[in-house]
Amino acid sequence: MHLPTPPSKRSFARLPLAAALALGLSACGGGGGAAGLAAPAATATAQGAHKLSGAVVDAPIAFASVVITTGAPLGQPGAVTVGTATSDAAGAYTVVLNLPGDNSPVFANATATQPNGTQVKLAAYIGPANAITAAELTAREIPNLVISQVTTAALAVYQKLNGGSYAALTPAAYAALLSQHHDDILPIAAAVQAVTDGLCATPAGFVDTESMAEQIANQSSLAGTAAGTSTTATASSLLQSGCDSEMRNLTQSIGANGTWSPQLDQGDVNQSGVTVIAAGSYTLQGLITPTGLSAAAPASAPVGTAQPVLFNDTTVSVSATGQISSTDGKVSGSVTGSYLTLSLTDAGGATYTFAGKAGLLPAAALGGTSAAGYALRAGATTQSLSRFDAVLVAAAAQPVWTAFNGLPNPHDDGVACPAGSFGVRLEGNGSEAGGIRLGSCVTGLAAGLSLAQSAAMPGDDEYHAAAQALGFNPFTLAVAGGAAPLPFVLSGAATLPGTAAPAGVAGTAYYVMGANELVFSTPAAGVGLFTMDENPLDRLEQSQHPGEDH
């Protein structure tokens, strides 16, 4: 997929996924590099109408159909068209909307035919109609998000959970969907990208990418529902042999990509002008995880065996206008609502740029102090794809890992655990760990975490239904950094099942407080990511108003 270039200046977000409406729509295609977006703009026209301009981007997509609907995505029961346009030869378009004054959900839809004949149909939820009409839609107020395989997959999961109805879809419901079904959305999004980019053959009976996404969701047993076939196994079966390696790497590359990563994380709830990160001085502690994958070829086998890099800067500040900087010059960026961009220089002089989301850490995890702490989750905006998981905390802040033990976990995905611990489903992504699903019981320790196999949920390889059950020996994660400790970043030796080594691969596991993934690094094969659906470790609020997003 071609990637829009994120804006370098600060922007303001006031409505959920508004960028998808005024940005541009990004469909997929093979080859090529990043494509720049035409600056989106929206101006009021007649009463009740808004004119929006943007671009359909895939280096670019000319003459694509752009349709804005209320009630449901295009072509589904209850959908009402409120604006249409066709992109020009350069992919640019302008659409005039006439929105109702109620809270009907609004969707942006894009359809196009790939050169190989594949019918691409993508959709995104962009918020309630009355919030869109009340907002001041300008280029400065729209973050760089797009209609994508991720938004299409998220809506496919939503319709399965809600019997095909979108009547109850709100920004808060959408944010909860992303958090609670992260591991269902990823493989569906990977399947959409694999077919659209021509990496895998279209399945029998294929109509378009949106209906394929819904087919995978509807035939799957989603996380937290009755036992059955997972979305990963369903997608693998639908796409048939020869596509598993592409799926393994796509699930990793999507989460490490600065365009798609923010769409996977929390959603774009209406921040009502409230900045998530308060102005002040902070320490930034985190982990940079190179994937070895390229944005130009996101399903290609990783090149090299780059290992995770610890990052620590004690001189970071955030201004009242959301500008991020550090006195040593190694950190710069901006934050708007929950959306952030960062430029980092590590201790070895390597530079990285990321885009992602920020969320509030539970106060109990910081010892109940009055100073707020934040978890940052981001993907690279360059061709070399990487993840950045970090915390932004006061200089004197210390983690309280035992605080997670007492928190409820209503989304444990069937991972039953003894008292004093909580269940976490770990879903593997990447060439070494892709498709490996493990049930883990997690216990907070005084200075870290312990993880043990859940007896109630044997592990499995979801790409090989007949393979033996998988498991792992207990391991402990302690403070990383050695002589220069990073108390919010944990690491430890672990042996976990791999795609070619069911008995286990020796490596190092890492976890950053608030992250929704466990990083697993092996000397010979680089890194894999074991992602998680919402649980006490990674449940974050998006603003200073607890409960707003869930």
Side-chain angles (χ1 to χ4, degrees):
M1 290 199 173
H2 296 285
L3 309 178
T5 302
S8 59
K9 64 181 181 179
R10 182 171 184 257
S11 57
F12 295 81
R14 292 191 180 178
L15 56 143
L17 294 180
L21 187 142
L23 74 200
L25 310 173
S26 179
C28 314
L37 286 175
T43 56
T45 55
Q47 185 175 1
H50 284 72
K51 178 186 291 185
L52 300 104
S53 300
V56 182
V57 178
D58 191 356
I61 294 182
F63 314 121
S65 173
V66 179
V67 181
I68 310 300
T69 59
T70 61
L74 180 66
Q76 300 195 31
V80 177
T81 297
V82 294
T84 63
T86 300
S87 64
D88 63 19
Y93 74 89
T94 297
V95 59
V96 175
L97 307 179
N98 284 282
L99 293 171
D102 58 22
N103 63 351
S104 300
V106 181
F107 303 85
N109 309 269
T111 57
T113 301
Q114 292 292 83
N116 63 3
T118 300
Q119 298 298 308
V120 178
K121 185 178 180 184
L122 305 173
Y125 168 62
I126 58 176
N130 51 12
I132 294 173
T133 55
E136 298 175 15
L137 297 177
T138 71
R140 283 176 53 82
E141 295 173 327
I142 300 171
N144 189 40
L145 298 181
V146 297
I147 294 178
S148 72
Q149 78 282 40
V150 172
T151 59
T152 304
L155 289 176
V157 172
Y158 184 86
Q159 62 82 33
K160 156 94 183 238
L161 293 170
N162 293 274
S165 172
Y166 298 89
L169 182 55
T170 63
Y174 188 77
L177 172 82
L178 295 176
S179 185
Q180 295 164 20
H181 291 278
H182 180 273
D183 285 350
D184 291 314
I185 294 167
L186 256 181
I188 299 176
V192 171
Q193 183 169 350
V195 169
T196 306
D197 286 1
L199 301 171
C200 302
T202 56
F206 177 85
V207 176
D208 57 47
T209 51
E210 183 184 56
S211 62
M212 185 188 75
E214 292 184 353
Q215 180 180 351
I216 296 171
N218 291 336
Q219 293 180 359
S220 304
S221 178
L222 302 179
T225 62
T229 306
S230 70
T231 48
T232 297
T234 302
S236 175
S237 177
L238 182 68
L239 296 177
Q240 302 177 355
S241 62
C243 196
D244 290 352
S245 61
E246 287 82 358
M247 288 285 291
R248 289 188 178 103
N249 286 331
L250 284 171
T251 53
Q252 185 180 42
S253 66
I254 289 171
N257 185 303
T259 298
W260 318 130
S261 176
Q263 295 184 318
L264 278 167
D265 195 17
Q266 303 184 65
D268 250 4
V269 300
N270 187 346
Q271 297 292 328
S272 301
V274 176
T275 299
V276 167
I277 300 178
S281 299
Y282 296 97
T283 288
L284 178 65
Q285 296 180 21
L287 186 71
I288 300 170
T289 306
T291 66
L293 296 165
S294 165
S300 297
V303 177
T305 56
Q307 301 299 301
V309 177
L310 297 175
F311 186 88
N312 187 29
D313 195 314
T314 62
T315 69
V316 176
S317 62
V318 180
S319 73
T321 59
Q323 299 303 305
I324 302 172
S325 61
S326 64
T327 56
D328 61 11
K330 294 184 178 181
V331 179
S332 62
S334 65
V335 60
T336 302
S338 64
Y339 182 79
L340 62 91
T341 59
L342 285 173
S343 177
L344 308 176
T345 302
D346 68 17
T351 59
Y352 310 82
T353 58
F354 295 101
K357 288 297 191 68
L360 282 164
L361 290 167
L366 297 172
T369 60
S370 57
Y374 310 93
L376 313 183
R377 305 169 181 170
T381 61
T382 56
Q383 286 295 312
S384 180
L385 298 179
S386 300
R387 282 285 299 176
F388 183 55
D389 294 302
V391 297
L392 195 66
V393 295
Q398 292 293 315
V400 182
W401 295 101
T402 55
F404 295 107
N405 295 338
L407 298 178
N409 186 19
H411 311 295
D412 63 5
D413 297 331
V415 185
C417 292
S421 63
F422 53 91
V424 174
R425 186 183 76 170
L426 300 174
E427 188 79 28
N429 303 290
S431 59
E432 181 60 41
I436 302 297
R437 179 172 58 172
L438 302 172
S440 177
C441 294
V442 181
T443 305
L445 306 175
L449 298 170
S450 69
L451 291 86
Q453 175 71 37
S454 167
M457 183 183 173
D460 62 7
D461 181 344
E462 297 173 286
Y463 290 122
H464 299 91
Q468 66 189 76
L470 304 175
F472 64 93
N473 292 324
F475 61 93
T476 299
L477 301 178
V479 173
L486 282 69
F488 289 87
V489 183
L490 305 178
S491 67
T495 299
L496 299 175
T499 58
V505 179
T508 303
Y510 298 84
Y511 182 72
V512 181
M513 181 176 279
N516 59 2
E517 62 197 355
L518 182 79
V519 174
F520 183 53
S521 173
T522 60
V527 297
L529 303 176
F530 282 93
T531 58
M532 306 180 290
D533 286 331
E534 184 176 274
N535 63 76
L537 284 175
D538 73 347
R539 190 182 193 282
L540 305 175
E541 299 288 349
Q542 287 187 253
S543 75
Q544 305 288 350
H545 305 291
E548 176 181 278
D549 59 326
H550 287 263

